[in-house]
Amino acid sequence: MSHALLDVRGLSRRFGGLQAVRDLSFSVDEREIVALIGPNGAGKTTVFSLLSGFLAPDSGDMRLGGRSIVGRKPHEVCALGVARTFQIVRPFPKLTVLENVLIGALVRHPRRRDAEAHARAVLDEVGLAAKAAQPAGTLTLSERKRLELSRALATEPRLLLLDEVMAGLNTTEVERTLELVRAINARGIAVLLIEHVMRAVMSLASRIVVLNYGERIAEGRPDEIANDRRVIEAYLGEPDVDAAVP
Amino acid sequence: MKWAGALAVLGLLALPLTLSSYALTIFIFIFFYAFLGQAWNIVGGYAGQLSAGHAAFVGIGGYTAAMLSIEHGVTPWIGMFAGAVLAGALGALIGYLGFRFGLRGFYFVLLTVAFAEVCRILVSNIDAVGGALGLYITFTGNPRHFQFQDQRAYYYIALALMLLATGIAALIERRRFGIYLRAIREDEMAAEAAGVDAFRYKMFAMIVSSSLTGLGGTFYAFYLFSLQPNTVFGIPLSVEIIIRPIIGGTGTLVGPILGSFILTPLGELSRHYLGQSGLHGAHLVAYGLLLIAVVLFLPNGAYPWLRARFRR
Ligand SMILES: Nc1ncnc2c1ncn2[C@@H]1O[C@H](COP(=O)(O)OP(=O)(O)OP(=O)(O)O)[C@@H](O)[C@H]1O
Ligand SMILES: [Mg+2]
């Protein structure tokens, strides 16, 4: 029997009286790009925090390549091959751009020299090589977003969790990030992405999982999701309908 | 930078040839406090975990070596390592309590202060270790007893301690360990997401720092010939340890040393001159003012500021 790369079953998490994620199931196959969408506060980032070990689920199972990762600490999940970015970027502001990425690279390359070579290769790929020696605190928002992605990528994950890496970028920058994600995926890395930029979701994802109030309300190919009544209704409750509805 | 460091060390090696005994004393304190600051810097500077109870490790190290020497005739040259091990073990315990339960910032500060206070009160009430009066060491001048007729021996030992702590910090700084500590200081959550086992590295940093500090306790005891719980476990000593790296620049190799070269003579001179005119505690006022100035104008400390100036 072949396993999905990531298999989530019956995942739930509550914050006090708020059920942020409710009985959620979905999977991501090897080399696949899956999008997780839903209105603000739907529980998308909470799912990432559960997957990456920052939050413990109240119930449910999460399996990576068939092995449960429930109860794993963040650094263990990272070592197992799941890397996340943060929606609100978290660079190490006083460390240089290279050092930021080096931290990620050290996971697979304990020797600093090897890790540095790998970090430089990643910076080349994402187009930040020219900024390598600069403190990360001096980067623009769009550069910080790319740095966030670079640091996760440098850990050489099997599955990359991208939390709104395109939010706040202009059209050219979004285009660039789209290409970057495609290139990363083409190297065999599966991607689970949270995104409000629908053009990005529609052109990248082979499948979309839609969350509303912590529950999965739809799942399917982009064209199926675009015409799903429940999805459209969920988004109509939102003030930024225009941006959200494909 | 390397050459400047090597030259400075050569200069310091030759310096005692020309110094008066009073100046020698001041240098001994400069080195010793730079050593303590550097040891603290590993956990407080690089890793950003603000221990405010490091005096306790000086006390534990000093008491261990002194008790072993007084009661069992064990030479402090061995006792100092026993003191370092015990201080390291207690550092591990405090680190475990703080890091396992996720105490950050202010709460970690309080935990470490409370730890030092508990040590102080315990030791003050155990008569077997001298109680509130503390321990006194009789002067023999015998090097086997870590005592020397010639002040210069203490000068070289204090210098060696400072270089030892700086060497260890330099080794840590260049390795994976060092860059992980800086990442943890900057953003622990992001570090963990990037695969850093923050708990483990904070524990390492605490153990290295506390055992080094414990090693210095022996020097303290056998240079001053006495240990009083109120002094050696007290908050003022913890402040003395922390303030030099803060003034000089935390998380840098030069910071604690530069801080000690600025503050120790200042403290000594103001204690000496202002104390004579009845202004006791004036050095603390001087520290306070200097600290305010540094926080306001050089928030990263003196060394990073100087470095930035010279680059320009
Ligand atoms: N640590 C927490 N403690 C309490 N409540 C939380 C916590 N984290 C998230 N929540 C709440 O859980 C719900 C889901 O939040 P989450 O951040 O997962 O939403 P999201 O789908 O990522 O939203 P957005 O699109 O705005 O990023 C929200 O109502 C949020 O306020
Ligand atoms: Mg979110």
Side-chain angles (χ1 to χ4, degrees):
Chain A
M1 186 188 128
S2 81
H3 295 290
L5 174 60
L6 175 73
D7 197 10
V8 174
R9 287 285 152 246
L11 195 66
S12 297
R13 167 76 201 207
R14 111 188 338 271
F15 296 115
L18 177 85
Q19 191 72 46
V21 177
R22 186 195 301 269
D23 196 23
L24 175 68
S25 301
F26 68 94
S27 64
V28 179
D29 285 334
E30 300 273 2
R31 299 169 174 270
E32 199 184 13
I33 301 183
V34 175
L36 190 58
I37 67 168
N40 291 113
K44 306 178 296 293
T45 298
T46 304
V47 171
F48 272 20
S49 298
L50 291 165
L51 286 173
S52 56
F54 283 97
L55 285 175
D58 297 329
S59 58
D61 198 10
M62 309 176 286
R63 288 176 177 272
L64 185 75
R67 279 161 75 193
S68 177
I69 54 168
V70 175
R72 296 284 181 172
K73 300 202 182 70
H75 71 270
E76 293 172 329
V77 176
C78 179
L80 289 171
V82 181
R84 76 172 290 182
T85 65
F86 290 96
Q87 180 175 355
I88 297 163
V89 292
R90 306 183 76 120
F92 306 116
K94 286 186 188 163
L95 304 194
T96 65
V97 168
L98 178 66
E99 285 170 332
N100 266 265
V101 182
L102 180 64
I103 309 267
L106 282 164
V107 174
R108 312 269 175 231
H109 309 273
R111 288 187 41 208
R112 183 162 176 167
R113 183 173 308 195
D114 305 339
E116 204 165 304
H118 179 65
R120 283 192 192 279
V122 171
L123 286 177
D124 269 332
E125 183 179 5
V126 302
L128 278 176
K131 312 265 174 177
Q134 235 167 274
T138 63
L139 296 184
T140 65
L141 174 72
S142 120
E143 289 166 342
R144 281 172 205 227
K145 292 244 168 192
R146 260 184 291 154
L147 177 62
E148 187 77 14
L149 204 160
S150 313
R151 197 172 56 198
L153 189 58
T155 68
E156 296 174 44
R158 300 162 72 188
L159 173 64
L160 190 55
L161 309 178
L162 301 179
D163 197 345
E164 301 202 20
V165 287
M166 297 175 214
L169 303 190
N170 66 33
T171 331
T172 339
E173 291 163 348
V174 167
E175 211 52 54
R176 234 175 124 179
T177 311
L178 279 178
E179 266 170 45
L180 184 58
V181 174
R182 269 193 210 104
I184 291 167
N185 180 246
R187 293 204 326 242
I189 298 173
V191 178
L192 177 62
L193 85 164
I194 297 174
E195 200 54 69
H196 283 296
V197 179
M198 280 306 145
R199 209 166 47 78
V201 172
M202 292 298 157
S203 74
L204 279 177
S206 59
R207 274 189 309 128
I208 298 176
V209 176
V210 189
L211 280 188
N212 196 22
Y213 296 110
E215 275 184 296
R216 190 183 76 181
I217 56 167
E219 177 182 349
R221 292 191 315 270
D223 56 309
E224 294 170 335
I225 294 300
N227 300 309
D228 190 297
R229 195 179 44 79
R230 286 160 305 174
V231 177
I232 294 166
E233 273 170 13
Y235 275 100
L236 280 176
E238 283 284 289
D240 53 347
V241 200
D242 304 338
V245 174
Chain B
M1 193 62 222
K2 269 213 177 105
W3 284 107
L7 268 177
V9 169
L10 278 179
L12 291 176
L13 283 173
L15 198 61
L17 299 172
T18 65
L19 288 180
S20 73
S21 121
Y22 181 56
L24 209 54
T25 312
I26 290 187
F27 269 94
I28 291 170
F29 279 114
I30 290 176
F31 298 154
F32 185 61
Y33 279 117
F35 156 77
L36 291 177
Q38 192 71 278
W40 177 86
N41 193 31
I42 292 168
V43 70
Y46 286 99
Q49 308 299 309
L50 295 179
S51 163
H54 255 52
F57 303 124
V58 179
I60 289 158
Y63 267 81
T64 306
M67 285 300 292
L68 283 174
S69 165
I70 295 168
E71 298 290 323
H72 304 286
V74 177
T75 166
W77 293 104
I78 292 174
M80 68 195 292
F81 292 101
V85 169
L86 196 59
L90 281 158
L93 174 70
I94 286 305
Y96 185 86
L97 290 176
F99 305 145
R100 185 46 91 205
F101 298 104
L103 300 188
R104 306 250 155 83
F106 191 57
Y107 295 97
F108 188 69
V109 171
L110 280 184
L111 173 74
T112 50
V113 169
F115 161 69
E117 282 295 283
V118 167
C119 289
R120 183 179 69 81
I121 293 163
L122 272 180
V123 170
S124 305
N125 286 289
I126 298 176
D127 290 335
V129 296
L133 287 177
L135 293 177
Y136 291 87
I137 290 154
T138 37
F139 183 73
T140 61
N142 182 348
R144 209 191 88 86
H145 300 152
F146 209 96
Q147 294 179 358
F148 309 91
Q149 305 284 358
D150 191 338
Q151 280 273 309
R152 280 177 291 191
Y154 293 106
Y155 176 98
Y156 285 114
I157 293 172
L159 179 60
L161 283 174
M162 179 180 89
L163 294 178
L164 171 73
T166 305
I168 289 175
L171 276 181
I172 291 174
E173 190 178 67
R174 291 210 192 105
R175 268 147 227 267
R176 177 162 80 154
F177 187 16
I179 186 157
Y180 274 2
L181 291 184
R182 288 164 65 212
I184 290 167
R185 178 189 62 199
E186 295 274 291
D187 189 330
E188 190 168 332
M189 204 170 160
E192 287 186 316
V196 179
D197 185 349
F199 173 75
R200 180 174 168 197
Y201 288 99
K202 288 195 289 186
M203 284 295 285
F204 280 169
M206 188 65 173
I207 290 168
V208 171
S209 174
S210 56
S211 43
L212 256 182
T213 307
L215 198 68
T218 298
F219 181 88
Y220 187 99
F222 289 82
Y223 178 60
L224 298 174
F225 305 118
S226 73
L227 286 168
Q228 270 103 45
N230 285 343
T231 321
V232 86
F233 288 100
I235 291 171
L237 179 57
S238 286
V239 172
E240 295 279 356
I241 294 174
I242 297 172
I243 195 170
R244 287 166 175 78
I246 290 182
I247 300 275
T250 57
T252 66
L253 282 181
V254 179
I257 299 172
L258 181 63
S260 193
F261 268 91
I262 297 171
L263 269 192
T264 311
L266 190 80
E268 273 308 310
L269 294 176
S270 58
R271 214 190 312 258
H272 195 74
Y273 291 109
L274 300 173
Q276 272 174 356
S277 45
L279 290 167
H280 296 291
H283 71 286
L284 291 177
V285 176
Y287 281 11
L289 292 176
L290 197 64
L291 191 60
I292 291 170
V294 166
V295 167
L296 284 180
F297 301 112
L298 316 170
N300 295 322
Y303 176 64
W305 178 77
L306 283 174
R307 195 175 44 188
R309 291 249 127 174
F310 276 97
R311 285 226 176 110
R312 228 164 267 156

